[in-house]
Amino acid sequence: PDRQRTLRATIAWSYDLLSEGARRLLAACSVFRGGINLDIIETVCAEAMDLGVPILDALAELVDQSLLSQGSVSATVPRYTMLETVREFAAEQLAEMDEAADARAAHASAFRSVADDLDRPPCWPARAGLDLIELEHDNFRAALDWAQTDDPAAALRLANSLTAFWSARGHFSEGRRRLGNLIELVATEGSERL
């Protein structure tokens, strides 16, 4: 449709105005879903790719070009959001980069770390932990989707970390489906299945 072509042309025009570092950051941000915490952006970029510029400068450039929107969940931690059409465009740019797999792996690793820091069953996570997982639920889903293909054992460990959340917040079907799929992919022996 004409509207989609016009929107894509506008995104491409904004992208062409970016510095190389901001372009690389936009591509890296495509691995995130539903919002991006500044701390985790820094973690993923430090592990996956060199932007060649300070991350805050690249973020400011993306906000100035309206490719990211800045908000916050708390007074101390900035959070960025991206329209889905922009994310799709950025994902295409990431796919052409050598660091694409590294960015996805760094994203999954960052969210495994977030999950590892929370209480595990049978002790229910505190409300703050549940709220954090709810806020980052789409990012956890993206990490699980990537790891299921690339590292099923790591995906199963992450899914095990999310079981209390899925139970407490009513995501029973999703939890059961994900765990069932991952158990089929992971060998019958190993700590991941415990």
Side-chain angles (χ1 to χ4, degrees):
D2 289 340
R3 181 175 165 212
Q4 287 180 339
R5 281 195 299 273
T6 302
L7 181 57
R8 184 169 174 78
T10 302
I11 294 168
W13 177 76
S14 293
Y15 179 80
D16 289 342
L17 295 175
L18 297 174
S19 67
E20 183 60 27
R23 287 178 185 182
R24 292 175 62 74
L25 179 58
L26 182 67
C29 287
S30 71
V31 300
F32 294 94
R33 306 284 190 282
I36 311 162
N37 178 310
L38 176 60
D39 296 336
I40 295 179
I41 292 173
E42 292 175 329
T43 300
V44 168
C45 287
E47 192 174 320
M49 67 175 57
D50 178 22
L51 300 179
V53 297
I55 195 163
L56 291 176
D57 292 348
L59 282 169
E61 197 174 338
L62 294 176
V63 170
D64 288 346
Q65 290 296 326
S66 300
L67 295 168
L68 288 180
S69 297
Q70 183 178 355
S72 66
V73 176
S74 70
T76 58
V77 181
R79 188 164 177 89
Y80 298 88
T81 57
M82 181 185 300
L83 293 173
E84 183 60 23
T85 52
V86 174
R87 195 198 63 74
E88 290 170 2
F89 179 89
E92 291 171 10
Q93 307 312 307
L94 180 64
E96 296 176 9
M97 298 173 68
D98 293 337
E99 299 95 337
D102 294 338
R104 288 184 181 87
H107 174 268
S109 175
F111 283 95
R112 275 194 305 271
S113 294
V114 170
D116 288 345
D117 290 342
L118 300 173
D119 292 334
R120 298 251 315 144
C123 300
W124 293 95
R127 180 172 175 86
L130 291 171
D131 290 346
L132 173 62
I133 296 174
E134 188 77 54
L135 176 66
E136 298 292 1
H137 197 194
D138 287 335
N139 279 309
F140 281 110
R141 287 172 172 146
L144 284 166
D145 291 344
W146 178 83
Q148 180 173 334
T149 302
D150 202 69
D151 188 354
L156 184 56
R157 284 191 301 275
L158 177 56
N160 283 334
S161 297
L162 297 175
T163 56
F165 166 77
W166 286 329
S167 295
R169 294 291 170 98
H171 298 280
F172 304 111
S173 296
E174 177 180 4
R176 203 171 23 251
R177 178 181 49 80
R178 286 192 183 273
L179 287 168
N181 291 341
L182 290 167
I183 286 171
E184 289 179 14
L185 293 173
V186 177
T188 57
E189 300 297 322
S191 62
E192 292 85 9
R193 291 182 60 115
L194 298 178

